[in-house]
């Protein structure tokens, strides 16, 4: 066990930065995702409480167990996928969370983790996510119609800060939006009241179409954009921590806490690198102390889960839409770029993107699933055609 004297200011600084990056880009998207399923106030609080609680516990336990900076987080791209869903009740959504996590658990336990990633072309995964995120990001400009100055200021700060302070662009944009809303009298401060952390259980439903609509895109988003790159980041910094216990423990935690709102817990990807560099600690064997502190910060956020939601209730809907939409700009850009990287799969990627963005529902199953199915069909057709040529 680490001693108190082992921790340094650099460890704390890295932990705080990782926390800000995680919450700054994801919290409002998670809030929007919960609303998409018609969550009550207590259920939204339960989402934040359970996610922070489980991420904190797993981050601390796994970091100490493997003496590596293991950062466990929620699936931000998955939350963006969920925020774009409509017409699915919370009970069926919970069943979808459980199904996605159970699939992740089995994929890891059976050794199919790497093989499944290779079976689904990365360009189609990127196209599926881009199709969903396009609709989500476009809400920024819908909000501009009603709060023009607010949204223009947020966009300006975001893009200007990307030039010199890219790490803090989301945070600076958030502060700008909040500051203008306060100055313009747009904040509903009467709603800012203390709320205790809540854990509310929701029994899963059994609508097969709804479960597939939620679980398939959520599983793929977590696998391809979180767990796989999360392990790649660990390897890139020289940590040979085994993948199975990390993936399986986070998947198991999701299965058992999904009814409380933990929609998908997995390895953090890009934000985890904040705790792995030489600026955190010259000794690679001690960098895990930063993620131990991060886990403690997660637990403190869990204890204030109600206040996190209360802050969202204070903000005007246009500010929330702009925050969530601008926060996924970089993710959308990366996925659009990734969708066109493979020359042989571009038409399949286009079909996947358009179908995913369409919002269609066939046989009770949503567009993200069908986008991937149709894209894979086109991809296989092109592959066979070219092989015969």
């Amino acid at each position: 066990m680490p001693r108190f004297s082992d921790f340094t200011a650099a460890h704390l600084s890295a932990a705080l930065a990782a926390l800000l990056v995680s919450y700054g880009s994801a919290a409002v998207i998670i809030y929007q995702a919960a609303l998409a399923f018609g969550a009550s106030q207590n259920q939204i609080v339960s989402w934040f409480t359970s996610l922070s609680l489980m991420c904190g516990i797993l981050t601390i336990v796994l970091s100490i167990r493997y003496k590596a900076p293991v950062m466990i987080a929620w699936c931000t791209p998955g939350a963006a996928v969920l925020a774009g869903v409509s017409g699915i009740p919370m009970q069926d959504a919970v069943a979808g969370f459980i199904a996605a996590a159970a699939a992740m658990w089995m994929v890891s336990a059976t050794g199919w983790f790497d093989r499944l990633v290779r079976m689904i072309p990365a360009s189609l995964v990127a196209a599926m996510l881009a199709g969903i995120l396009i609709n989500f990001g476009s809400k920024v400009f819908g909000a501009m119609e009603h709060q023009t100055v607010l949204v223009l200021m947020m966009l300006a700060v975001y893009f200007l800060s990307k030039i010199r302070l890219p790490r803090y662009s989301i945070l600076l944009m958030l502060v700008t939006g909040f500051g203008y809303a306060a100055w313009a009298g747009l904040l509903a401060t009467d709603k800012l009241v203390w709320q205790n952390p809540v854990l509310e259980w929701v029994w899963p439903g059994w609508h097969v179409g709804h479960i597939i609509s939620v679980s398939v895109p959520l599983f793929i988003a977590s696998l391809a954009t979180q767990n796989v790159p999360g392990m790649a980041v660990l390897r890139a910094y020289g940590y040979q921590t085994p993948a199975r216990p990390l993936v399986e423990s986070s998947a198991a935690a999701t299965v058992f806490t999904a009814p409380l709102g933990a929609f998908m817990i997995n390895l953090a990807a890009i934000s985890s690198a904040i705790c792995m560099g030489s600026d955190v600690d010259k000794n690679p064997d001690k960098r895990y102390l930063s993620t131990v502190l991060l886990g403690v910060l997660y637990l403190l956020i869990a204890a204030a889960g109600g206040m996190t939601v209360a802050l969202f209730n204070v903000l005007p809907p246009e500010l929330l839409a702009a925050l969530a939409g601008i926060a996924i700009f970089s993710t959308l850009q990366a996925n659009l770029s990734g969708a066109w990287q493979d020359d042989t799969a571009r038409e399949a990627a286009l079909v996947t993107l358009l179908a995913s963005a369409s919002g269609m529902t066939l046989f009770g199953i949503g567009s993200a699933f069908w986008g991937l199915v149709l894209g894979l069909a086109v991809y296989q057709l092109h592959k066979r055609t070219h092989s015969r040529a």
Side-chain angles (χ1 to χ4, degrees):
M1 287 288 291
R3 296 169 298 180
F4 182 78
S5 58
D6 294 333
F7 296 96
T8 67
H11 295 141
L12 179 60
S13 177
L16 285 169
L19 186 76
L20 286 172
V21 169
S22 294
Y23 271 90
S25 61
V28 67
I29 300 175
I30 294 170
Y31 181 79
Q32 298 277 37
L35 289 178
F37 297 116
S40 68
Q41 187 72 10
N42 278 350
Q43 287 169 347
I44 297 173
V45 175
S46 185
W47 277 46
F48 281 95
T49 303
S50 60
L51 284 168
S52 300
L53 183 64
M54 293 312 302
C55 288
I57 292 171
L58 286 175
T59 296
I60 292 171
V61 171
L62 293 173
S63 294
I64 293 175
R65 169 66 180 82
Y66 294 102
K67 297 294 188 292
V70 177
M71 179 179 175
I72 301 297
W74 41 82
C75 182
T76 302
V81 169
L82 299 178
V85 171
S86 61
I88 296 179
M90 180 63 76
Q91 293 88 345
D92 295 340
V94 167
F97 304 160
I98 294 172
M104 187 71 69
W105 196 350
M106 287 191 295
V107 162
S108 178
T110 56
W112 273 75
F113 185 75
D114 294 323
R115 277 178 281 179
L116 189 61
V117 174
R118 290 194 295 268
M119 286 172 60
I120 304 174
S123 58
L124 298 194
V125 174
M128 181 196 74
L129 291 171
I132 297 163
L133 296 176
I134 280 176
N135 287 329
F136 200 58
S138 66
K139 292 180 181 178
V140 173
F141 305 99
M144 188 184 290
E145 180 182 353
H146 304 287
Q147 290 293 339
T148 307
V149 176
L150 169 66
V151 178
L152 281 175
M153 285 180 64
M154 292 171 69
L155 284 169
V157 168
Y158 173 78
F159 286 115
L160 290 172
S161 61
K162 292 275 282 187
I163 299 171
R164 292 293 181 91
L165 300 167
R167 269 192 183 182
Y168 305 102
S169 56
I170 298 291
L171 179 62
L172 291 171
M173 177 265 294
L174 189 155
V175 170
T176 299
F178 190 87
Y180 176 83
W183 176 80
L186 301 175
L187 302 180
T189 52
D190 57 307
K191 296 181 180 178
L192 187 61
V193 294
W194 170 258
Q195 291 180 271
N196 292 323
V198 174
L199 290 174
E200 181 171 311
W201 186 272
V202 176
W203 288 103
W206 301 106
H207 189 290
V208 176
H210 290 168
I211 293 171
I212 294 173
S213 297
V214 171
S215 63
V216 173
L218 182 59
F219 167 75
I220 293 171
S222 179
L223 179 75
T225 70
Q226 297 287 153
N227 281 331
V228 171
M231 286 307 305
V233 170
L234 275 168
R235 298 287 185 264
Y237 281 89
Y239 296 99
Q240 300 305 314
T241 312
R244 281 189 61 174
L246 307 187
V247 174
E248 289 174 28
S249 60
S250 56
T254 305
V255 169
F256 293 114
T257 59
L260 300 173
F263 62 92
M264 181 56 81
I265 299 168
N266 41 225
L267 284 167
I270 305 303
S271 56
S272 64
I274 296 171
C275 298
M276 297 184 192
S278 58
D279 54 334
V280 177
D281 199 306
K282 296 296 182 184
N283 184 354
D285 295 334
K286 290 188 176 181
R287 291 174 194 166
Y288 79 96
L289 296 173
S290 62
T291 50
V292 172
L293 287 175
L294 173 62
V296 174
L297 293 175
Y298 273 142
L299 296 180
L300 292 176
I301 295 291
M307 282 305 296
T308 304
V309 177
L311 283 172
F312 287 124
N313 291 333
V314 169
L315 303 178
E318 294 83 7
L319 176 55
L320 288 173
L323 281 174
I326 296 172
I328 58 93
F329 275 6
S330 59
T331 305
L332 174 57
Q333 183 180 358
N335 281 292
L336 283 171
S337 177
W340 314 128
Q341 281 187 351
D342 185 352
D343 293 345
T344 63
R346 284 184 179 173
E347 194 164 17
L350 178 62
V351 170
T352 301
L353 186 149
L354 292 175
S356 298
S358 69
M360 68 173 180
T361 300
L362 291 176
F363 309 111
I365 302 173
S367 61
F369 172 81
W370 292 116
L372 193 62
V373 168
L374 293 172
L376 281 169
V378 173
Y379 177 78
Q380 291 297 330
L381 178 64
H382 279 207
K383 194 174 177 182
R384 293 189 180 191
T385 302
H386 286 296
S387 66
R388 291 175 183 173

